[in-house]
């Protein structure tokens, strides 16, 4: 009798183990593979959305030129304002010119910071034109956008 009871307990334990193993296999087959490859699939998806996407490539390429051009536009505005200030305007007009110059300098600095930030982003750096500077400097008086 003891032998038959042991056998029944053994089969029960074996059944539980087999059921657990089958459950683990099912989890791995249907969900585990997805979990294991999530990092790889995420990297591939990111590359497809950026490097593999022609529209993104063109937009990034043009964005660097646009940002650099906005810095040059601000520099031209500053030069025009300085020229007007040098022409000895009325005190009220001179104050408005100085305020405008401050605003344009802030706008120029913002464009430079945006340009530099995007130039360091790994997924954009490949789309920066070789003729554009890698980094712009706020202290430079004149920005060169293309050779």
């Amino acid at each position: 009798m003891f032998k038959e009871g042991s056998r029944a307990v053994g089969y029960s334990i074996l059944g539980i183990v087999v059921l657990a193993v089958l459950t683990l296999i099912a989890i791995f087959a249907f969900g585990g593979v997805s979990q294991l490859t999530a990092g790889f699939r995420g990297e591939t998806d990111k590359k497809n959305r950026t490097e593999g996407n022609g529209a993104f490539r063109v937009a990034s390429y043009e964005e660097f030129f646009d940002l650099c051009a906005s810095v040059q536009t601000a520099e031209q505005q500053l030069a025009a304002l300085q020229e007007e200030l040098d022409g000895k305007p009325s005190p009220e007009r001179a104050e408005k010119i100085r305020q405008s110059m401050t605003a344009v300098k802030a706008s120029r600095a913002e464009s430079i910071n945006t340009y530099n930030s995007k130039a360091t982003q790994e997924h954009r750096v490949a789309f920066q034109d070789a003729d554009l500077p890698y980094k712009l400097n706020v202290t430079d008086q004149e920005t060169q956008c293309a050779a």
Side-chain angles (χ1 to χ4, degrees):
M1 190 67 120
F2 182 68
K3 239 180 175 182
E4 269 184 45
S6 294
R7 217 178 254 183
V9 170
Y11 286 135
S12 296
I13 291 174
L14 181 63
I16 291 171
V17 169
V18 167
L19 184 62
V21 168
L22 289 176
T23 302
L24 287 174
I25 289 172
I27 288 171
F28 180 74
F30 297 110
V33 172
S34 177
Q35 238 357 36
L36 288 175
T37 61
F40 169 75
R41 287 182 294 112
E43 282 294 317
T44 302
D45 185 49
K46 184 178 93 174
K47 283 182 181 178
N48 287 340
R49 280 181 297 159
T50 56
E51 296 166 21
N53 184 330
F56 175 83
R57 295 169 68 109
V58 171
S60 291
Y61 180 81
E62 291 175 347
E63 187 174 22
F64 282 110
F65 278 103
D66 291 345
L67 286 168
C68 197
S70 71
V71 172
Q72 286 182 320
T73 300
E75 292 168 355
Q76 292 163 354
Q77 289 173 333
L78 286 171
L81 288 167
Q82 184 63 51
E83 186 177 311
E84 186 178 355
L85 189 61
D86 292 343
K88 306 292 184 206
S90 69
E92 297 84 25
R93 180 65 187 145
E95 182 59 31
K96 287 182 181 181
I97 292 171
R98 284 190 206 66
Q99 290 172 352
S100 293
M101 290 177 79
T102 300
V104 171
K105 286 177 184 178
S107 174
R108 178 180 179 271
E110 180 182 8
S111 294
I112 288 173
N113 289 337
T114 302
Y115 181 97
N116 291 341
S117 171
K118 290 181 185 284
T120 61
Q121 293 174 355
E122 184 179 338
H123 67 283
R124 289 184 190 268
V125 73
F127 310 120
Q128 186 177 4
D129 189 84
D131 288 337
L132 290 174
Y134 175 71
K135 186 177 180 183
L136 300 179
N137 193 334
V138 177
T139 60
D140 289 348
Q141 294 297 317
E142 188 177 316
T143 302
Q144 295 296 323
C145 289

